[in-house]
Amino acid sequence: MIPDAVAQQWWSATATWRLLHCPASATPAHAPTRPHAQTPDNVGSVAHLALQTWVERGEWSHPECATRLQERFDEVATEHKIDPVRMHQGAATRARLKTRASQLAAILSSTSSDIRSEVLLRDESNRLFGILDIAGTGSDGFIIDFKTGRDASPDSSTAIEHQMTFYAHLFQASYGTLPKRVIVFSLRQGPTEIQVTPSMVAVLLDQIRAANLTELTVARPGAHTCRFCPKRMTCQPHWDAVPGWERPDAIEGVLENIERSSSRTTTALIGGRWLTGIPESALPSATVPGKSLRAVRVRCRNDSDPAEWTAGNTTHIQVIPR
Ligand code: SF4
């Protein structure tokens, strides 16, 4: 059992991964609930909503399953007044859905399980919870996590193993046995099966219990851990550590100059370093010379002197009050 001091909190797969790697970045939940229905703001969430409908209607068993999945994607986009082509990776994701649908349908057809999507599972005794993209219950139970971006790359394999072991444990806590198949289904790379054993689950639970004894103020900066941390902009241990990283991906300083181009990107001189290719959407409206800025998920171009930095689609910039 997790100690009483933290027994009122609930932990998701992501929160426990953060707890293990940097306690200061971990945010437990008050209750094991699904996120509130909201407008999808990226192509991955549009694809997830499309997949949910496709599974719930049993369209994966239809001869035209691939077309059906693409139609669901278009429906979600239309419903939320989104033009997928204007979203980052929108057109590619729409095309991949059609290409990969029959592969996913073949997996679902190969089982006699009761197939459901967006399944909320919990482990009451350890206060763990998670939402499985697709789960099949029964004698040949399985779980599938659906990934639309680069988050299924080999670079993220440790995080994926954590996540899938966590989900397999929740499945066992709910249905009494580990799932026979644990599958990560990437739209880019197709399905990957992960072996989850009882000892892997036991080790993970031990690690989570031990980590729960750590103060949630302990920060352990690291390039991979910090990259998408929601607390990054204001986490001083991280800003102190970034310059020492092998490949720093963040800069900060006073905005000295700003130049807008006709190609909807901006170049900014921040603390004596040029940052180029800033997407319009990444610049806060109050960005004027003299303000202090922090930019994360930027890349240093070592081939220029002085070094230039480039922004990308995941770059985030914030004005920092001084
Ligand atoms: S930014 Fe890095 S060090 Fe700071 S809380 Fe997040 S993961 Fe931890």
Side-chain angles (χ1 to χ4, degrees):
M1 288 279 291
I2 286 171
D4 287 346
V6 289
Q8 297 313 309
Q9 301 165 334
W10 284 84
W11 295 90
S12 66
T14 303
T16 51
W17 189 86
R18 291 212 154 277
L19 182 68
L20 296 183
H21 290 83
C22 174
S25 73
T27 307
H30 296 299
T33 54
R34 300 169 204 275
H36 292 301
Q38 54 189 7
T39 305
D41 56 1
N42 59 54
V43 74
S45 46
V46 176
H48 271 86
L49 287 171
L51 178 79
Q52 185 180 350
T53 306
W54 186 73
V55 171
E56 283 170 359
R57 293 185 187 174
E59 291 179 340
W60 50 269
S61 61
H62 194 279
E64 298 291 321
C65 64
T67 304
R68 289 280 192 277
L69 184 52
Q70 204 172 49
E71 287 171 355
R72 297 301 149 248
F73 180 85
D74 292 343
E75 275 176 13
V76 174
T78 303
E79 184 186 339
H80 294 282
K81 299 185 174 56
I82 292 168
D83 178 359
V85 176
R86 292 180 69 91
M87 295 186 100
H88 177 56
Q89 287 290 319
T93 299
R94 185 178 182 275
R96 287 184 192 123
L97 280 171
K98 191 165 186 181
T99 312
R100 295 283 181 197
S102 44
Q103 237 176 340
L104 182 53
I107 295 171
L108 301 182
S109 304
S110 68
T111 166
S112 57
S113 299
D114 174 26
I115 296 169
R116 291 186 291 144
S117 69
E118 294 293 297
V119 185
L120 174 64
L121 296 181
R122 66 193 92 195
D123 163 8
E124 298 280 348
S125 63
N126 285 308
R127 295 235 155 196
L128 307 176
F129 77 102
I131 298 164
L132 276 55
D133 287 332
I134 307 177
T137 57
S139 56
D140 52 353
F142 68 92
I143 58 176
I144 296 177
D145 190 61
F146 183 63
K147 299 204 180 291
T148 57
R150 289 205 174 90
D151 46 0
S153 70
D155 285 351
S156 50
S157 57
T158 314
I160 288 178
E161 185 178 294
H162 170 97
Q163 180 189 22
M164 299 314 288
T165 306
F166 186 94
Y167 286 159
H169 164 67
L170 291 181
F171 187 96
Q172 183 176 34
S174 302
Y175 302 115
T177 177
L178 284 174
K180 279 210 168 133
R181 300 182 73 190
V182 175
I183 298 167
V184 176
F185 194 95
S186 161
L187 267 192
R188 289 170 184 253
Q189 293 146 21
T192 301
E193 199 143 345
I194 294 183
Q195 297 304 319
V196 177
T197 62
S199 65
M200 287 168 69
V201 172
V203 167
L204 179 63
L205 291 179
D206 282 348
Q207 289 174 336
I208 293 171
R209 290 177 192 123
N212 258 307
L213 300 173
T214 313
E215 288 290 334
L216 290 184
T217 51
V218 175
R220 295 192 195 114
H224 187 55
T225 317
C226 296
R227 186 163 172 77
F228 285 101
C229 174
K231 300 182 179 176
R232 199 170 173 185
M233 281 296 178
T234 54
C235 174
Q236 195 53 45
H238 151 268
W239 287 102
D240 293 342
V242 164
W245 290 354
E246 190 180 349
R247 286 196 192 85
D249 71 338
I251 56 174
E252 62 176 334
V254 174
L255 177 66
E256 297 163 36
N257 196 352
I258 187 162
E259 292 178 8
R260 293 189 162 80
S261 81
S262 52
S263 61
R264 291 187 164 185
T265 60
T266 299
T267 296
L269 183 61
I270 302 172
R273 288 158 296 196
W274 284 105
L275 176 62
T276 63
I278 305 169
E280 224 171 43
S281 56
L283 263 180
S285 53
T287 311
V288 291
K291 295 276 186 186
S292 291
L293 294 191
R294 284 177 167 169
V296 299
R297 296 187 288 278
V298 293
R299 195 163 52 86
C300 183
R301 288 177 47 192
N302 293 317
D303 56 347
S304 56
D305 187 21
E308 266 186 25
W309 294 71
T310 51
N313 287 310
T314 62
T315 295
H316 180 49
I317 299 175
Q318 197 166 306
V319 176
I320 304 298
R322 294 287 183 196

